[in-house]
Amino acid sequence: MALDVVDLRSFYASPLGHVARRTVGRVMLRLWPDCRRQRLLGLGYATPYLPLLGGEAERVIAFMPAAQGVVNWPSPGLSASALVEPTLLPLPTASIDRVLLVHALEETESPEDLLEEISRVLSPGGRLIVVVPNRRGLWARMDTTPFGHGRPFSRSQIEALMRRAMFSPEHWAEALYVPPLRRRLFMRSAMAWEKVGAGLSLPFAGVYVIDATKQFYRRAPLRATRRSFAFRPVLLPQAHPSSRLPRQDEAKMPAG
C-alpha cells in the first residue's frame, strides 16, 4: 500500500522528521552545492528537501504520485506542486536539468519505467539524486517512518537498476545511522551517530543517497560493407537419349 501524503507531511513535521530532513539534506547539499540557473524537479515527496537545493534555481516544481496524493507547495504564494502519474510525466523531453527522487522509487510497481521516464525529461548530462532505503539499515525494518515502507534496496540492486536506465552513478553516500527511535537522547546525538557511522563506513545506514548522471550515447552510423560475388557456371539439365524427340527430317522418312 502506497504512503499517504498526510502521513508523510506528519512525519516531517515531527522531531524525528526534522532529524531526517537535516541529516539527509546535508548530504544532498554536499552533492549539489550549487543549483543556480537549473530547472529542478522534485518527484515523490521531495518538498522537505527542495528549499535546501532550489533557493537559486531557475525553476522548481514538485510532482507527487497519484497513489500518494498531493499537498500545496510552497505554502505561501503560487503553488508549484501537481498530482501526476510518475511514469507519464507531463513534461517535454529534455526539459529538466536536475531531478530529486525521494519516497518514490521504493513505492512504485515498476522502478525501471520510472527511471526511464526521468531519463526522458532530463537534458543530456542532467543529474539525478535518488534517496532509497538501505535494506540492511534499521530504518527499512521499522514501519514507524516512511523509509520503512515499500521495497528497500541493496547497493548492487540500485546500481544495476540505474545502469539499465542509462544512469551512471557518480557519487555514493549514506545517511541516517541514528536509530529511528523517538527518544530525545538519540535525536540529540544524531550528528554524532552520522560522524561515527560515516567515518567507520558502517553497513547499517538508513538510506542510500546517490548522485547519478544521465548517460548520452551517440549512435555510430552503420558502414556499408562490400560483398564479393563469385559467379559459378550453372549446369543445365540434358535430356536422356531414349527420350530425345525425332528431328523434323527423320519424322518424314517412310519406314523401310
Side-chain angles (χ1 to χ4, degrees), residues 239-251:
H240 193 270
S242 61
S243 62
R244 183 171 60 89
L245 295 176
R247 294 199 307 267
Q248 186 176 3
D249 54 350
E250 294 178 349

Side-chain angles (χ1 to χ4, degrees), residues 38-39 92-99 118-127 167 213-216:
Q38 300 290 304
R39 293 161 294 183
T93 300
S95 60
I96 297 295
D97 299 309
R98 300 192 180 188
V99 174
I118 293 173
S119 178
R120 181 189 68 82
V121 302
L122 267 178
S123 59
R127 296 173 67 180
F167 283 101
T213 303
K214 175 184 174 180
Q215 297 178 354
F216 180 71

Side-chain angles (χ1 to χ4, degrees), residues 194-254:
E194 299 304 311
K195 291 180 180 179
V196 173
L200 299 177
S201 298
L202 299 178
F204 54 81
V207 295
Y208 290 114
V209 185
I210 307 105
D211 176 23
T213 303
K214 175 184 174 180
Q215 297 178 354
F216 180 71
Y217 295 110
R218 184 178 63 181
R219 294 184 178 179
L222 296 177
R223 296 181 180 179
T225 58
R226 296 182 179 180
R227 297 182 179 179
S228 60
F229 297 92
F231 294 95
R232 298 179 179 179
V234 179
L235 300 178
L236 298 177
Q238 296 182 358
H240 193 270
S242 61
S243 62
R244 183 171 60 89
L245 295 176
R247 294 199 307 267
Q248 186 176 3
D249 54 350
E250 294 178 349
K252 294 180 180 180
M253 292 178 61

Side-chain angles (χ1 to χ4, degrees), residues 69-110:
V70 65
V71 294
N72 183 45
W73 181 87
S75 52
L78 299 176
S79 177
S81 61
L83 193 69
V84 300
E85 173 56 44
T87 57
L88 295 171
L89 298 177
L91 291 172
T93 300
S95 60
I96 297 295
D97 299 309
R98 300 192 180 188
V99 174
L100 180 61
L101 190 65
V102 188
H103 299 302
L105 196 64
E106 67 270 24
E107 292 289 335
T108 184
E109 295 182 357
S110 181

